[in-house]
Amino acid sequence: MMRALIVDDEIHSRDELEALLLETGEFTILGKCSNALEALQAMKRERPDALFLDVQMPVINGFELLGMIDESLMPNVVFVTAYDEYALKAFEENTLDYLLKPVEKGRLAKTVRKLRRALNAGEKPVYSSQDIKKIPCVLSSRIKLISTAEVDYVRSNEAGVYVVCPTGEYFTDLTLKVLENKTNLVRCHKQYLVNIDRIDEIILHENMLAEIKTKSGRTIPVSRRHLKELRGKWNF
Amino acid sequence: MELLFRLIQAMSVFLVIAYLYCKSPWFRPLTTHSLRTRDRIYLYFFFSAVSILGTYLGIAIQDAIANTRAIGPVLAGIIGGPLLGTAVGLTGGLHRYSLGGFTAFSCGLSTTVEGMIGGLVHLYLKRTNKTDLVFDPKVAFTTTFFAEMIQMAIILIVSRPYLDALALVKVIAIPMILSSSLGTALFVSIGRDQKNMYERVAAISSAKAFKIAERTLNFLGSGINQKTAVDLAKIIHEETGVGAVAITDRDKVMAFIGHGSDHHTPGSSIVSSLTKAAIAENKVIFADGERERYICPLSATCPLNSVLVVPLHIDNDVIGTIKLYEPRNKQFLNMNKMLGEGITNLLSNQLLLSRYERQKNLLVQTELKLLQAQVNPHFLFNSLNTIISITRNNAMRARELLIHLSNFFRKNLKRGNDLSTLEEELDQVNSYLQIEKARFDDRLVIQMDIDPALLKLKIPTFTLQPLIENAIKHGISNMLGQGIAKISAYRNDGHALIEIEDNAGAFREADAGDGLGIKIVDKRIKALFGKDFGTAVYSVPDELTRVTIKIPLEGHVQ
């Protein structure tokens, strides 16, 4: 059985796809998510084999979500869309397959075979995807989008990843690795990414240790490993 | 007495000169009110010559000359002002002085003074706003009469011996005063006649041009066709009075009115080489009937002898010609040539304008069709997907939605009319919203508040639908939380207001996506009801977007 996650903002689309997938007898449905944040959390939790992803969704669309998935968690992605123009773009994005809504059974069977083959081959899927311009953060029941330019730094601990900007600190489901790869934030410590444009000063200590003071007056550590790299980027 | 006749004889020479002068191109500037420096210099030479000639045509009496020298300076003064009058007087006077005699100095002086008097009269007429009296023979007569009396007085005062001067004046005074005054008056009268003629010709040709323009411009909205071509040819024929008028397109004669219409038949191909050349080179061709003759290629007995061919064009494309003909026994008047060219240019501009108007309307229509077409496939697929899903659990609900879907599309297809009632518009909108409500479930809330008195209000068809679609497609469908779409219609201050509001607040001024739909709706309302009506957008980012449509209450449709 393939472990599948369905992401679609429309309830009837989710239900219909679930019914169709169950009819094939090939899938366990791990969950149905109505937006990108739910999807990121569910993926971390359930580690699905296959992701059926709607393209047109509020706030963060399917393409943007694809860029926010950590490489180590990347499932085989099938785009599902009612829009033909997106279907063409889905190919460019190098996904496994795409389905057009309303989904036709015969066409779905083809997708199922493709998925089966890919999973049997056991290769980790790698998709090209766009950079992240805005980081989705959870704010009680709302999603707050923080533009990467506003970010001072990002830190992680056992509880999760926090985006720090002048207005405060926000929890995000994105991993440090994704943020390092898909944004212009730079690694300065195992647990920290920093926005080069928001650095006020770098204070050098003995033992090749250093600290960064950001423009909003916060201090973050710089590890020995990353100091040299940072110096090169900051030009000093 | 004999002296008087001889002076009148001399004066007659001036009348011939005056006549010739008035017919010459140099007279033309005098008919307009402002004289340029160059015109003043011509006048100076002309009137100086007249003045000197007056001296030479004089009669030698008692070591002096009885003459009509005053005509030049006085006229120069009246027509050209004190400076010109004095200059001419001085020139004539110096010339007289150089001839000698016991009145040489006094005559030289008095001629200058006479020019000045003419100039003062000019100034007086100008100050009192009576410049039309410059060419009045009575004014000229009186001025010269007075000026000549002054001259006699100067001779008496300045010339020595006094007794000789007195004897001279006794002989010459009456003949000189009368002949000079009469000469000036007649000179001015010839000029006035010529001036009036110029003005009359100008007035007649302007009146004709305006009349043709007025009669032709109105019915050209639909462009030139067989019928408008005939009407147009008739009007030009009547108004210009030329022998014949033809209108052609690029290949054939569309209309022919006047002499020779027996063998120049509408519908026949263009055979004249002049017309072909005018079309090919996009230029006016004129065969005046003398240097170049029009030779009819169709009939040896054709009376037409001269022709003007003016290409009719839109932008740079020649679409046909307008031709004016005159028969052998009639000269092709310059006025008609100018009228023909002017009218054709006017029509060309008018055609360009009406084509532009048509294209503009076409564009709005096309945009509208595009807007209608562009929405439907996505909406259709999403709707079908929703209904397919609902079919699994609730067949009745699915049936209802399919009915709404067919209603929506039927209304979309039937949209041939320009105007619909608000009720009809709301019916379609309702079908649309029912389907979207099913699709988005509790993420979409619809609120309606319609004044029932407005249900019969006429609005342009397809006004509400694009705006509601904007609110859903670009607004609420992008919200994570609950979207609220409000539609309200109410009366305010003598007109109707319809509002479409969403709580997404996604409208951005620069965003062409939803801006286009609003713009087209706005354009159509303005085209129908005038510029005081149309759409207005109020938006608070991430909070709300409200499009307000202002429509006149019934009976106010323009």
Side-chain angles (χ1 to χ4, degrees):
Chain A
M1 294 290 262
M2 291 180 279
R3 295 152 41 77
L5 187 68
I6 296 172
V7 184
D8 195 314
D9 63 319
E10 294 175 32
I11 177 170
H12 299 295
S13 285
R14 294 196 293 272
D15 291 350
E16 177 65 13
L17 190 59
E18 180 185 32
L20 287 170
L21 292 179
L22 290 177
E23 276 170 21
T24 65
E26 301 250 15
F27 294 94
T28 312
I29 306 298
L30 303 173
K32 294 181 284 181
C33 311
S34 66
N35 63 51
L37 281 201
E38 285 178 25
L40 285 169
Q41 286 160 4
M43 265 185 286
K44 229 191 296 183
R45 200 167 59 231
E46 308 282 354
R47 298 176 175 259
D49 302 321
L51 181 67
F52 289 86
L53 181 55
D54 181 23
V55 175
Q56 191 66 24
M57 290 192 296
V59 186
I60 298 167
N61 69 31
F63 294 126
E64 287 161 347
L65 175 59
L66 189 64
M68 293 174 182
I69 301 170
D70 193 286
E71 279 170 28
S72 64
L73 293 175
M74 187 61 80
N76 288 289
V77 176
V78 177
F79 274 123
V80 188
T81 180
Y83 296 71
D84 233 2
E85 60 205 283
Y86 284 111
L88 294 170
K89 202 181 166 201
F91 265 131
E92 281 167 32
E93 300 277 337
N94 193 26
T95 54
L96 180 91
D97 203 357
Y98 72 97
L99 289 169
L100 291 177
K101 291 193 236 182
V103 177
E104 193 211 331
K105 271 186 197 172
R107 180 65 184 78
L108 177 62
K110 224 170 120 187
T111 306
V112 173
R113 283 197 296 279
K114 252 191 195 172
L115 265 175
R116 176 61 67 201
R117 224 176 301 140
L119 286 169
N120 287 344
E123 285 168 17
K124 263 274 151 219
V126 178
Y127 303 122
S128 60
S129 57
Q130 58 206 59
D131 283 346
I132 299 170
K133 300 276 183 317
K134 290 186 169 185
I135 305 171
C137 297
V138 183
L139 206 73
S140 62
S141 64
R142 295 196 295 122
I143 294 183
K144 185 177 169 68
L145 289 177
I146 297 172
S147 151
T148 51
E150 290 171 47
V151 174
D152 275 6
Y153 63 92
V154 178
R155 66 178 174 86
S156 74
N157 58 25
E158 305 75 37
V161 179
Y162 295 85
V163 175
V164 184
C165 56
T167 55
E169 224 179 61
Y170 306 94
F171 178 80
T172 180
D173 286 303
L174 304 192
T175 62
L176 276 194
K177 187 137 190 69
V178 165
L179 288 172
E180 187 183 1
N181 290 339
K182 292 288 170 66
T183 67
N184 51 6
L185 299 174
V186 175
R187 180 80 73 159
C188 63
H189 187 271
K190 202 175 149 212
Q191 289 171 304
Y192 289 86
L193 301 178
V194 69
N195 181 352
I196 298 280
D197 298 330
R198 302 278 307 157
I199 293 176
D200 183 30
E201 51 183 356
I202 298 182
I203 307 146
L204 296 171
H205 298 295
E206 284 171 26
N207 306 329
M208 290 297 282
L209 286 175
E211 276 182 328
I212 289 173
K213 207 169 133 203
T214 66
K215 283 186 179 159
S216 49
R218 295 183 173 91
T219 319
I220 55 171
V222 180
S223 70
R224 214 170 295 169
R225 259 182 74 193
H226 296 104
L227 180 61
K228 206 175 150 196
E229 223 176 298
L230 200 62
R231 274 181 143 168
K233 283 191 176 155
W234 209 51
N235 293 325
F236 70 91
Chain B
M1 204 57 192
E2 193 205 340
L3 188 59
L4 177 64
F5 282 120
R6 287 185 63 184
L7 283 179
I8 289 177
Q9 215 169 29
M11 181 200 78
S12 305
V13 176
F14 290 126
L15 297 186
V16 174
I17 292 172
Y19 178 77
L20 292 175
Y21 176 69
C22 290
K23 293 288 171 193
S24 77
W26 298 290
F27 180 71
R28 205 70 202 251
L30 298 190
T31 59
T32 56
H33 282 292
S34 58
L35 290 174
R36 288 167 302 175
T37 313
R38 208 181 55 190
D39 302 326
R40 287 178 196 278
I41 290 169
Y42 286 150
L43 282 178
Y44 166 74
F45 282 111
F46 176 72
F47 285 118
S48 295
V50 166
S51 180
I52 290 168
L53 197 63
T55 309
Y56 280 127
L57 290 175
I59 297 125
I61 286 178
Q62 304 170 9
D63 193 28
I65 306 167
N67 63 79
T68 49
R69 185 171 57 238
I71 295 177
V74 175
L75 273 178
I78 295 178
I79 294 171
L83 191 67
L84 190 71
T86 311
V88 170
L90 192 64
T91 310
L94 280 173
H95 171 264
R96 169 66 190 86
Y97 181 69
S98 70
L99 294 181
F102 84 104
T103 57
F105 177 71
S106 62
C107 282
L109 176 67
S110 61
T111 306
T112 311
V113 171
E114 289 183 284
M116 262 162 78
I117 292 170
L120 291 175
V121 169
H122 174 94
L123 273 189
Y124 171 77
L125 293 176
K126 207 171 165 189
R127 294 264 161 83
T128 52
N129 265 332
K130 290 183 193 152
T131 41
D132 50 325
L133 291 183
V134 164
F135 280 92
D136 186 74
K138 273 182 240 154
V139 172
F141 186 91
T142 318
T143 310
T144 317
F145 194 91
F146 177 67
E148 284 287 85
M149 303 247 281
I150 297 288
Q151 177 171 39
M152 296 305 150
I154 289 173
I155 292 174
L156 289 178
I157 295 163
V158 178
S159 296
R160 289 293 175 270
Y162 173 75
L163 284 178
D164 287 358
L166 186 63
L168 177 69
V169 168
K170 271 183 179 159
V171 177
I172 64 168
I174 293 172
M176 267 180 72
I177 291 173
L178 281 180
S179 61
S180 291
S181 303
L182 195 62
T184 322
L186 288 174
F187 199 117
V188 160
S189 135
I190 292 171
R192 185 182 62 173
D193 290 349
Q194 186 67 25
K195 188 176 170 200
N196 285 348
M197 200 189 76
Y198 278 137
E199 281 171 358
R200 214 170 39 244
V201 168
I204 289 172
S205 49
S206 326
K208 257 190 197 171
F210 279 125
K211 204 164 169 198
I212 300 181
E214 192 190 324
R215 290 182 65 184
T216 53
L217 290 185
N218 287 332
F219 67 88
L220 269 190
S222 51
I224 290 197
N225 54 40
Q226 198 71 43
K227 192 188 169 309
T228 50
V230 171
D231 293 345
L232 195 59
K234 272 185 191 152
I235 293 169
I236 298 176
H237 184 245
E238 273 171 32
E239 295 295 342
T240 58
V242 294
V245 174
I247 293 176
T248 74
D249 61 14
R250 288 187 64 97
D251 310 308
K252 57 181 193 312
V253 180
M254 296 176 79
F256 191 100
I257 307 284
H259 296 302
S261 57
D262 52 332
H263 58 279
H264 291 272
T265 44
S268 57
S269 299
I270 293 173
V271 282
S272 156
S273 58
L274 298 174
T275 311
K276 284 179 180 163
I279 292 172
E281 293 163 42
N282 188 9
K283 70 169 192 195
V284 176
I285 290 188
F286 181 52
D288 61 2
E290 285 163 23
R291 266 164 299 172
E292 195 183 357
R293 288 185 50 204
Y294 166 74
I295 299 158
C296 178
L298 294 170
S299 164
T301 57
C302 182
L304 303 176
N305 182 53
S306 52
V307 68
L308 171 76
V309 188
V310 192
L312 200 53
H313 52 87
I314 297 182
D315 271 346
N316 288 320
D317 306 328
V318 179
I319 60 156
T321 62
I322 292 184
K323 299 162 74 173
L324 275 62
Y325 302 86
E326 285 289 15
R328 209 158 283 129
N329 55 7
K330 225 173 123 195
Q331 199 202 342
F332 203 117
L333 292 180
N334 199 35
M335 184 176 86
N336 281 338
K337 179 171 182 270
M338 282 166 66
L339 266 178
E341 288 182 38
I343 286 298
T344 311
N345 285 335
L346 194 67
L347 290 173
S348 292
N349 287 339
Q350 183 68 14
L351 286 172
L352 182 65
L353 196 72
S354 62
R355 182 166 82 169
Y356 171 71
E357 284 293 327
R358 268 201 308 284
Q359 280 173 344
K360 212 170 71 178
N361 286 340
L362 216 60
L363 198 67
V364 175
Q365 291 298 331
T366 314
E367 280 175 329
L368 181 69
K369 287 225 172 71
L370 204 70
L371 196 71
Q372 265 172 297
Q374 159 193 69
V375 181
N376 297 339
H378 298 160
F379 171 68
L380 180 62
F381 289 133
N382 279 317
S383 310
L384 288 175
N385 197 47
T386 304
I387 297 170
I388 284 168
S389 171
I390 292 173
T391 316
R392 287 182 189 272
N393 306 316
N394 190 346
M396 279 302 287
R397 176 92 180 105
R399 281 191 62 224
E400 278 170 33
L401 289 173
L402 283 173
I403 300 286
H404 280 307
L405 192 61
S406 43
N407 183 44
F408 174 80
F409 275 101
R410 185 170 295 125
K411 289 279 158 59
N412 231 25
L413 287 176
K414 255 172 70 181
R415 304 263 157 159
N417 303 337
D418 277 351
L419 288 175
S420 298
T421 61
L422 179 62
E423 193 172 21
E424 288 168 325
E425 285 281 295
L426 285 172
D427 180 46
Q428 190 193 16
V429 163
N430 182 53
S431 286
Y432 171 81
L433 285 175
Q434 287 300 323
I435 294 163
E436 293 295 59
K437 168 78 185 148
R439 185 176 152 208
F440 292 109
D441 205 58
D442 54 7
R443 275 172 57 206
L444 173 62
V445 173
I446 298 160
Q447 296 174 354
M448 291 250 193
D449 180 14
I450 310 291
D451 177 349
L454 291 177
L455 286 175
K456 298 291 171 217
L457 181 75
K458 296 270 192 197
I459 58 178
T461 300
F462 211 64
T463 293
L464 293 192
Q465 186 57 31
L467 303 182
I468 306 278
E469 256 172 45
N470 276 343
I472 307 276
K473 207 168 111 185
H474 301 291
I476 289 169
S477 79
N478 288 321
M479 286 174 70
L480 280 176
Q482 190 171 65
I484 301 170
K486 271 189 228 170
I487 303 175
S488 48
Y490 55 94
R491 283 168 288 178
N492 179 29
D493 203 14
H495 44 257
L497 294 180
I498 305 170
E499 286 180 354
I500 289 137
E501 186 180 318
D502 65 64
N503 63 336
F507 180 85
R508 300 291 180 270
E509 204 68 58
D511 196 352
D514 39 346
L516 181 68
I518 297 175
K519 256 187 222 146
I520 294 176
V521 169
D522 186 54
K523 254 194 248 176
R524 296 181 70 219
I525 293 175
K526 284 191 163 58
L528 214 53
F529 302 119
K531 65 174 172 45
D532 293 339
F533 300 93
T535 61
V537 185
Y538 171 74
S539 170
V540 182
D542 300 322
E543 270 181 42
L544 76 95
T545 300
R546 184 192 306 134
V547 183
T548 307
I549 307 168
K550 189 172 160 193
I551 302 267
L553 286 170
E554 252 171 326
H556 293 247
V557 178
Q558 279 187 347

